[in-house]
Amino acid sequence: MKYIFTLLLSLVLATNAYATPPQMTAGSYNPQGTLIEIEAHGLVCDFCARAIEKVFLKRAEVSGIAVNLSDHRIVISLKNGQNLDDALLEKLINDAGYTLARISRKEED
Amino acid sequence: MKYKLIYLALLLAPTAAYARPVSYPGGVTVMTQHNDEVTSSHIHYSPTAKYSIGHRYENHREANFQLHAAQLNYLVNRWNKPTSQANVYFKTGLGGAYNDRGKGTDAVGFVGIAADWETRKYFLSYENRYLNAGKIGDNFEQHARIGIAPYVAEYGSIHTWLMLEAHYNKTAEDPFRLTPLVRLFKGPALVEAGISTSGSALFNFIYRF
């Protein structure tokens, strides 16, 4: 019973995690693609946010991007079947002038 | 009239400790500044986030000379922290200057250092520059700024900053000047306006493409 409850709770949490489509600040959200969430350091102004958007939107793999200055978070929506590996993500963040702190991924259906 | 003023602002504007001179890779930035001493413009392109190259124009009304120069801005170091960013830049330029009061033309060169520290609430910066235009003259100027945002705005909203700029140039008519100013910042555009303690108006504009 405990395992069933844990399984159900995990499913509910996983479903709700991206229940509301993330609002993109540039490009568009692709519900079929992978979502990557990055925490980056040094994001303090709109010029920083625009730099991140410009660098990532040049990539053919990227459908949309959302930059949130308050929690230093970048959400990247990828096109169907596309991926950006961790090393490339770190390079892109560094190339834009910022420092990568954390990466997490959510595979969409 | 409105478009003439915008056009004038884009064409004109000097060195000042008011914005980072290097953009994202492939970014183009237009920076203009106007005060009683100088009107200047600087247009630069950043091949990488480490440096930018561009053109600088300055019209020194008090000292009666104008200059056109190629300028290099180099990011010496950046410290990215969770809630702050600090930078040190080296700037240099080389070009020609023209004096319309009999001194003619001469080569001009300048070097300077700029440093800033910024959070979403507080801002500090310092910048200096030594300029030598041969027979036309030379000068050494320094700018320092402190700023506070009365509220923290989200990306894409209007950000407001209240700032105080101190400027020192011993060769100027008014060597030390304090200028309280307001900065409005939204997306790719930044505008600043202020009036110094001696009544000199300041107007700065930046657009990052």
Side-chain angles (χ1 to χ4, degrees), chain B residues 37 60 139-142 167-176:
Chain B
E37 273 177 51
H60 293 251
N139 71 40
F140 178 68
E141 59 180 326
Q142 301 178 79
H167 173 228
Y168 182 72
N169 177 357
K170 73 175 180 184
T171 59
E173 232 171 63
D174 183 12
F176 182 74

Side-chain angles (χ1 to χ4, degrees), chain B residues 98-138:
Chain B
Y98 170 74
N99 173 277
D100 55 9
R101 302 283 172 92
K103 292 181 181 172
T105 59
D106 210 337
V108 63
F110 55 85
V111 289
I113 294 287
D116 62 69
W117 173 84
E118 186 178 350
T119 71
R120 297 183 67 211
K121 183 85 179 163
Y122 302 104
F123 178 92
L124 286 173
S125 69
Y126 169 79
E127 178 168 353
N128 63 32
R129 186 182 75 166
Y130 173 71
L131 179 146
N132 192 318
K135 62 181 183 263
I136 294 171
D138 67 343

